[in-house]
Amino acid sequence: MSKPKIAIFDFACCEGCQLQIVNLEEELLDLLGGADVVEWREAMSEKCDEYDIAIIEGSITRLEDEERLKLIRSRAKILIALGACATIGGINKLKNNFDDLDEVKKCVYGKDANKPHLATQPTKAVDEVVQVDAYVHGCPIDRKEFTYIMRCLLMGKEPEIPEYPVCVECKAKGNPCLWEYGQVCLGPIIRAGCGARCPSNGFRCFGCRGYIDNPNVDAAKDVIDKFGLNIDDLKTKMVLFGSRQEPTIHG
Amino acid sequence: MSVKKIAKKDFVEFVETLIRKERVFGVQAKGDRFDFAPLESAQDLRLDYDVTLQPPKKFFQPPAEVLMTFEVGGGYQSQYDDEPFVLLGVHPYDMVAINQMDELFSQDNYDTHYMTRRNNATIVACDVAKPSENVFASSMGTAVVKSGYDVLLTDIGDSYVCEAATEKGEKLMAAAKKAVPADDAALKSREAVWAKNKKGLNRHELKCDPAYLPKLLAKAYKHPVWEERAKTCFSCGSCNQVCPTCYCFNVQDDVNWDMKTGKRERAWDGCLLDGFTKVAGEHEFRKQRADRFRHRIYRKGMYVPEKIGGQIACVGCGRCVAACLPDIANPVAVYNRLIDDLGIG
Amino acid sequence: MGKTVNVNVHHITRVEGHGNIVVNATDGKIEKVEWQVPEAPRFFEAMVRGRSYEDIQTIVSRICGICSITHSLASTKAVENAMGFEVSEQSDEIRILMHYSEQMQSHILHVGYLVAPDLFGMPSVVPLVAKAPDAVKAIIRMHRLANEWSDLIAGRTTHPVTLKPGGLTKIPTAKELRGLQDRLKENLPVLKAIAEVVLSVADNLPDFTRETEYISLKQDDPRTYTFYHGEIASTDYDGTVAINDWKTVANEYVVDQSTAKWTKWHRDSYAVGALARFNNNAELLSPTAKAVAKMFGLEKGNCSPFMNNVAQLVECVHVVETSIEMIDKLLTKGLKDEKVKVSPKAGKAGGCVEAPRGILFHEYEFDRKGNCVGADICIPTNQNHANIQKDFEKMVPEILDEGEDAVRQKLEMLVRSYDPCISCSTHMLDVEFVK
Amino acid sequence: MCQCCAEKKDIYLPELATVMDAKAMNVTERYLRLAMDDGPFDFVPGQFVEVSVAGIGEAPITISSSPTQNGGFELVVRKVGNVTKAIHNLNKGDKLGIRGPLGDGMYPVDEAKGKNVVFICGGIGLVPQRSFVNYVLDNRDDYGEVTILQGTKEYDQRLFTDEVAAWDKRDDVQMLETIDLPDKRWKSNVGVVTKLIPMIKSELKSAVVLVCGPPVMYKFVLMSLEEHEVPHENIFLNLERKMKCGVGKCGHCQINSTYTCMDGPVFRYSDLATMPEAI
Ligand SMILES: Cc1cc2nc3c(=O)[nH]c(=O)nc-3n(C[C@H](O)[C@H](O)[C@H](O)COP(=O)(O)OP(=O)(O)OC[C@H]3O[C@@H](n4cnc5c(N)ncnc54)[C@H](O)[C@@H]3O)c2cc1C
Ligand code: SF4
Ligand code: SF4
Ligand code: SF4
């Protein structure tokens, strides 16, 4: 059997997730042992239109990018969304909170805002444009999880991505809970798989992996009350990576 | 077996020699909390701790462990963590929990992975010197412990009474050259500590004898408390993860890059987590939060006791009380609520 | 008869982000020489609006994966300046260690993975594995070290999570720092070996210079080769400019051929980056770093953009050597668990640090509750765009006779030597495709 | 390793078995005949094995053959997820890992002796039941009248059609089959399996009734059996739960206090009275 061909494409993002692939160091050579990377603009000059697995980094913010993504989808057997920008729209979705996108443009471009080439549309995650076969969550992705997912796909197995929240991994690490230290941590409603990296470093979970399937936002409200905080403290944290996504907090 | 007394400063010295000889884990400060960690200096050992963040179960059933390796088509090879170690500072309630786990992992089907670690351990238990904010060991009858440990330490002021309970314990304490046989006064002081703890480790008071809990639960299955509490349950499983008597696990395979060899791992799981009972085809047997919430309380108060001869599987460490953000996990609060509604007897 | 050359590099590879190179020359007559940036605009200045001062770092870190620590530090400093938060000396030093890890990460990535293939005449680092296995192994080793270093102090290799306004959320233990120090000591010779390898192929760097103004940070008290503290300095100017006055330096302006905002100070363009720092501060480098510079004959006042690659290597050595010393200092003083408690205030200020690819300005304004009401970010690659264009304009006539392939190759190398971080620079700009 | 552990076997460690025969039964079900590489394999109808595909994982699968049949043991696997998909890729000669037989809750092979036996199967529920059906037929004289009810959703999902036809031909077996959503090819009963219960010729009240099918089926079958006054002690249900260890540790298959893997998978209905989560 010939090695599957992998192509990596980037859209609107910081390219930090591709960087994590580079950061695999020696393991990257292992990956290259199991698959041929045929296109990867950030790291190599080769280009190719034939591939089995397309890895998509970044979110979709322009019509022309939607077209390009659809073309990639039509060529690839498996399409992977890599990182928060691709899986949930990531930080780029913050701009969707402005009801009027013109306002966004004005804020950055001032009087030039109406030039036609500045056309932008609300940020979309990859699966809002095409079908996605596998998700690698996180901002940036977790290298261990990425390699696990790649091995699964190369083996024809569906990777097991946690359905449970970050607290599970946080507790397994033996961390004291950050809420007790005054931080508004989104751990209880965000999908695990990162090894509770942020809470383990004393930094609240800000939700880069997206919500679990069935987050209990009512409970979150209760906790806000318990710690004498305001619901806005929670909302403003949830908006960072969760703009215009379910669940929304009312009240 | 012998009961000795050792001055605190001599004990530090003893621990120092121990560290040089053996793999030692002990309770240490972690920020303003405490936890078990590899002990590098006797100075770091904190036997005056209130409660550890994680229960000592992680030494016998780690958060993740390799059960076996395999070669595709070539068979499976058991993997064991087979290095002896000393565990310093296990509180009585945690010791009771370990005793229960020993029973659960050895009865019916003997779990060689758990038991290898367990048999490799020399456990130095120590009586509680400072009650934690949520402990209720007194209510559960686990404030003092009589078995399971190799050595039991009791802080009686400027020295420890140390009782070696097993051969292993005797051997360990033999290195404590400055220990002297415990005199009557020391033993009396120890009795006093026990008497105090039997009553004093009780920040939440259970309104019945724990032995009554299975009977209480037998009539509480349809009680509204499950719905009421679970309404604000995150299904975060924190109550499972921090509990010294929770041991459910998940098993997963992973291959190496050669795609031919790999390992099978098990990792902590939790019955509160969404998907715990979900089978292929998306059917989930305890789909409702309330069902899962109830299951945990029943498991502690009824199911496990049925399996291991009556001992309630909540030892009153209070960790879940502290870990539960919406403040619903406290077993005493649940039991007391049921007692209020359903009465005793 | 002059040559006819048409170069159209759509999305130059092995750089961070998307950029195009367009050269049209007919019969030796140059019609068009352009450096373009078609990256999707991302509107960060709008996205931070209304967000809490606590979350600014988390957001702006995402401007760029390669310089995420730098963006985090610059924004955190700006928040601290705006609200008047004090940062302890210990926090400062650990932050600098964190910052160094990113310099190293980024420089090694750039020189080792992105530039080395050019020097060896390869399309990417993948085939290089077969051609120069030892060199690639050494590069991977250093890159791994840099990443583990950043993991330890920033909590991650990308998008740090140990920073907070006023200090740090977590500091490494003495044992961890000692471990890091050992690794740094062990690997200093590996860095030198990499420098030797680069030296052996340095002849493949095009021979090109152009008088340029170089701008970077400069720190006087104490005199240090700085990435983190200090004020703005220029090779064309004797004094220094305060950070809050950064706009008098950057002088952002709009040109017809591009909507990308360009910058200039004393000349039509200026350059930032490792070479700029070197040209302003070379005498303050660590001893081994100086020795490596000497190896390449790199001296203050060098105006070859291609030498930026070498200056990056020199800086790698510098940050490793300096970190070894800093860890000693930290450990001698003893690590303290500092409790940082801050509360928001209204205010406006800038924050500045050196990104691996040059000086970076962040500026924010906050209301009483600490919510952001205004932001301005000026990124190093942006500051280099004009200079790249000016280099193109001087270089193309000099090399036009070498033919299309050579022109393309050399211009690509030129762009790469600036280590552009285009995804950064397009936080606020967009350019039309020129077909 | 310590003495006491060294003497014990690793309860999680699979032993190797070889695929002797494998074939597709339809789009989703695959039949496999296996033989252990080392030593014999003794089991009782109703028991299951944990099947390992290295690198993919483990899945509990009931033994479908009867111990009275020689030459290894048979499994039928429905493709639903990772492990079952991987099992579908196995062919004659391939190796896989087996733990078991597991499960102390087996079919009441002795208790049913001398009594009428009624099998009620829904869909893939036929697979485990088949083990006991063939056991009974191979020891035909030991049992009373034998009735087999089989309900299938669609024509193409019918399993063991040859065997079912053979049972149908026998005079000493009442074989009734129905299809929920039939097409033109089907000329017999239409509807859910409970519809067949009134058609049972033998006396139900004293019969041993064995039920296996999808979770939704149980409620309706039990209601019907209730109407026919079958005592709960005589009804046996084959229950399915998520399983990770199969040896009573992992907690996934727990139904109230009971572990499906240890006390089941076959349960006496009267014992389920204390297990509100069971049905
Ligand atoms: C006692 C028993 C006997 C069974 N007998 C058969 C049989 O004869 N033929 C057949 O096709 N199927 C049988 N099943 C169901 C079969 O075990 C599942 O379909 C299978 O585990 C799905 O695994 P998967 O990896 O393909 O699916 P995934 O969805 O990838 O499942 C992942 C893991 O979850 C667990 N799991 C998921 N679904 C189930 C389930 N339904 N039951 C138990 N664990 C599950 C397993 O541990 C599995 O490895 C039986 C189940 C039990 C409990
Ligand atoms: S710190 Fe966050 S992730 Fe950790 S337990 Fe608390 S809420 Fe959960
Ligand atoms: S149920 Fe709670 S209090 Fe009881 S042992 Fe478990 S964690 Fe401790
Ligand atoms: S009871 Fe509390 S700790 Fe347990 S899962 Fe629910 S919210 Fe989490």
Side-chain angles (χ1 to χ4, degrees), chain D residues 163-178:
Chain D
E163 229 165 303
V164 168
W167 296 339
D168 195 23
K169 283 214 186 80
R170 287 176 73 135
D171 306 334
D172 56 354
V173 172
Q174 187 192 7
M175 176 78 223
L176 293 169
E177 210 182 343
T178 178

Side-chain angles (χ1 to χ4, degrees), chain B residues 233-239 272 293 324 326 328-329:
Chain B
C233 174
F234 281 119
S235 300
C236 73
S238 294
C239 48
L272 264 294
F293 184 85
C324 179
I328 53 170

Side-chain angles (χ1 to χ4, degrees), chain B residues 134-202:
Chain B
N134 285 304
V135 68
F136 54 96
S138 302
S139 275
M140 303 313 289
T142 55
V144 295
V145 63
K146 292 288 163 217
S147 68
Y149 51 82
D150 298 292
V151 177
L152 175 68
L153 298 175
T154 314
D155 186 337
I156 54 162
D158 49 10
S159 53
Y160 293 110
V161 174
C162 32
E163 177 187 325
T166 62
E167 289 293 344
K168 256 198 235 172
E170 283 294 354
K171 229 173 100 201
L172 191 83
M173 289 313 295
K177 296 281 185 284
K178 295 196 176 136
V180 294
D183 49 36
D184 276 354
L187 291 179
K188 269 222 180 89
S189 308
R190 181 166 78 155
E191 290 290 348
V193 170
W194 285 348
K196 188 170 128 234
N197 281 354
K198 269 186 188 163
K199 289 217 159 61
L201 305 184
N202 220 18

Side-chain angles (χ1 to χ4, degrees), chain A residues 84-97:
Chain A
C85 290
T87 58
I88 55 173
I91 211 94
N92 296 329
K93 275 213 170 169
L94 268 175
K95 84 165 198 253
N96 296 12
N97 293 316

Side-chain angles (χ1 to χ4, degrees), chain C residues 30 44 54 62 128 137 193 201 218 283 303 309 395 403:
Chain C
I30 296 168
F44 272 90
E54 282 184 321
R62 272 74 193 172
L128 198 59
K137 262 188 228 150
V201 288
K218 190 168 191 171
E283 67 280 5
C303 282
N309 298 316
M395 190 163 169

